[in-house]
């Protein structure tokens, strides 16, 4: 995939800078304030997830590839993986649990695991694949605002 | 709008006319890096106050880690028959809270006055 490629250590301290960088680029490609904020959230949650569940070992890296074209952004985040933790399955479990929480009105405990659920609601397409080599989260976010493009790919 | 800073400031104030009540003015970012710092200030209050109102007018950004902590405070206060309310969330933050499903669990008001009126003295 062409576009922006980044690799960062699996360290939470890098995330605020990375999420702000991609959000700013999105804004320059015509995503409005609200959409750029959503993109910041999307990058944040996917990277947090990748570090928390995917990269426990020292010196592991998180790879990000981000491509803007026409009215959409495609983002792929890959971690090198904890092979025993299937993000895809956990995501499905969390969705079911959240639905139960809402139907009961109050959770017994404030479960974490809402990150990818938030991402799912903010994107047009979400694809999660866990393999022996790690997890890849791929999203597509369309630009719905009418703001003119400040840059072209 | 981007949020690069690693800062959270929380000012704690009494709420006039209410016993064992604190207003928390949250200023900055509530994310994976800052939630722990915020928790050191907020958690002890959850154990001893009856009413806590989190003023989020100057909260710029919050992710699911920050949200999970706020939900924990709410649930802990409810278990003690206390009140945990949030006020002044901007539109974008409210949207994030809403899509996470937490809007139906938390007590969110537009203004401090509105929140205080909803508290049973």
């Amino acid at each position: 995939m062409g576009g922006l490629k980044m690799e960062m250590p699996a360290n939470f301290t890098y995330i605020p800078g990375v999420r702000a960088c991609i959000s700013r680029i999105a804004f320059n490609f015509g995503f409005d304030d609200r959409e750029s904020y959503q993109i910041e959230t999307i990058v944040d949650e996917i990277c947090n997830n990748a570090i928390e569940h995917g990269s426990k070992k020292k010196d592991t890296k998180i790879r990000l590839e981000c491509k803007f074209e026409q009215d959409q952004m495609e983002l792929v985040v890959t971690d090198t993986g904890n092979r025993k933790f299937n993000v895809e399955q956990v995501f499905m479990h969390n969705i079911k649990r959240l639905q139960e929480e809402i139907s009961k009105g109050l959770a017994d405990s404030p479960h974490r695991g809402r990150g990818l659920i938030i991402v799912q609601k903010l994107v047009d397409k979400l694809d999660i694949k866990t393999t022996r080599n790690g997890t890849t989260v791929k999203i597509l976010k369309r630009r719905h605002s009418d703001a003119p493009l400040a840059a072209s790919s | 709008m981007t949020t690069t800073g690693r800062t959270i400031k929380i000012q704690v104030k009494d709420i006039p006319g209410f016993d064992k009540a604190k207003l928390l003015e949250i200023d900055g970012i509530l994310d994976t890096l800052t939630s722990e710092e915020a928790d050191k200030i907020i958690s002890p209050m959850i154990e001893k106050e009856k009413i806590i109102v989190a003023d989020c007018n100057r909260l710029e950004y919050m992710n699911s880690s920050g949200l999970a902590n706020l939900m924990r405070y709410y649930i802990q206060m409810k278990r003690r028959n206390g009140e945990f309310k949030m006020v002044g969330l901007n539109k974008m933050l409210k949207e994030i809270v809403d899509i996470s499903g937490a809007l139906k669990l938390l007590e969110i008001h537009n203004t401090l006055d509105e929140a205080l009126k909803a508290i049973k003295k």
Side-chain angles (χ1 to χ4, degrees):
Chain A
M1 186 169 77
L4 177 74
K5 290 184 182 178
M6 299 168 95
E7 191 175 83
M8 67 171 188
N11 179 333
F12 293 111
T13 312
Y14 285 84
I15 294 178
V18 170
R19 73 181 188 226
C21 167
I22 294 176
S23 169
R24 186 67 207 181
I25 295 169
F27 183 78
N28 288 343
F29 269 100
F31 286 84
D32 66 16
D33 273 340
R34 176 170 166 259
E35 291 167 335
S36 300
Y37 189 94
Q38 290 175 346
I39 286 170
E40 182 160 1
T41 301
I42 291 163
V43 174
D44 190 10
E45 299 294 352
I46 294 175
C47 289
N48 272 300
N49 201 74
I51 294 173
E52 193 170 350
H53 301 303
S55 305
K56 301 284 187 198
K57 292 176 192 168
K58 253 186 173 180
D59 302 325
T60 52
K61 305 279 186 194
I62 307 295
R63 283 194 298 276
L64 294 96
E65 292 183 61
C66 190
K67 188 179 179 184
F68 292 89
E69 56 181 17
Q70 295 298 318
D71 61 348
Q72 65 181 43
M73 180 191 88
E74 198 180 322
L75 173 72
V76 180
V77 179
T78 308
D79 66 62
T80 46
N82 173 356
R83 295 171 191 179
K84 290 179 182 172
F85 192 95
N86 190 317
V87 176
E88 203 175 338
Q89 284 178 4
V90 171
F91 174 59
M92 296 311 293
H93 170 76
N94 285 343
I95 286 184
K96 193 179 167 190
R97 194 185 62 198
L98 182 66
Q99 285 167 344
E100 286 171 3
E101 278 182 15
I102 291 169
S103 67
K104 286 176 188 168
L106 182 65
D108 286 336
S109 64
H111 294 297
R112 296 194 60 188
R114 289 170 192 270
L116 285 180
I117 293 170
I118 291 171
V119 170
Q120 186 201 30
K121 300 275 177 68
L122 294 177
V123 300
D124 293 279
K125 199 173 169 188
L126 170 67
D127 186 33
I128 305 169
K129 286 273 186 297
T130 299
T131 69
R132 291 177 61 191
N133 298 321
T135 295
T136 298
V137 178
K138 188 174 176 181
I139 68 102
L140 181 78
K141 171 81 175 164
R142 292 202 174 89
R143 179 169 63 89
H144 297 290
S145 56
D146 295 326
L149 283 177
S152 58
S153 56
Chain B
M1 180 187 279
T2 57
T3 58
T4 50
R6 182 188 174 175
T7 58
I8 185 79
K9 283 183 192 169
I10 299 175
Q11 276 204 310
V12 183
K13 295 180 177 174
D14 290 330
I15 302 176
F18 292 87
D19 289 333
K20 288 195 167 186
K22 295 288 182 203
L23 175 69
L24 308 179
E25 290 180 350
I26 304 175
D27 184 345
I29 294 161
L30 212 45
D31 66 4
T32 312
L33 292 180
T34 59
S35 286
E36 198 177 328
E37 196 178 333
D39 194 50
K40 285 178 190 165
I41 298 168
I42 301 173
S43 270
M45 284 179 212
I46 298 294
E47 289 164 18
K48 63 181 183 186
E49 304 294 343
K50 277 186 180 172
I51 299 164
I52 291 180
V53 180
D55 179 351
C56 302
N57 275 294
R58 283 181 290 186
L59 179 61
E60 291 173 43
Y61 179 85
M62 176 169 65
N63 72 2
S64 62
S65 302
L67 182 59
N69 277 4
L70 291 173
M71 291 180 68
R72 177 162 55 83
Y73 303 145
Y74 174 80
I75 291 164
Q76 286 173 342
M77 289 296 282
K78 280 287 161 192
R79 282 180 180 157
R80 295 177 51 241
N81 293 318
E83 303 261 10
F84 183 85
K85 294 180 179 293
M86 294 166 65
V87 301
L89 282 169
N90 69 39
K91 276 184 187 174
M92 288 181 273
L93 280 174
K94 207 179 266 184
E95 182 178 32
I96 299 298
V97 175
D98 187 14
I99 61 176
S100 74
L103 198 58
K104 292 178 182 174
L105 304 179
L106 295 168
E107 288 177 29
I108 297 175
H109 300 270
N110 291 325
T111 64
L112 178 59
D113 278 351
E114 204 179 288
L116 295 180
K117 277 177 191 166
I119 292 171
K120 293 166 195 166
K121 276 197 182 183

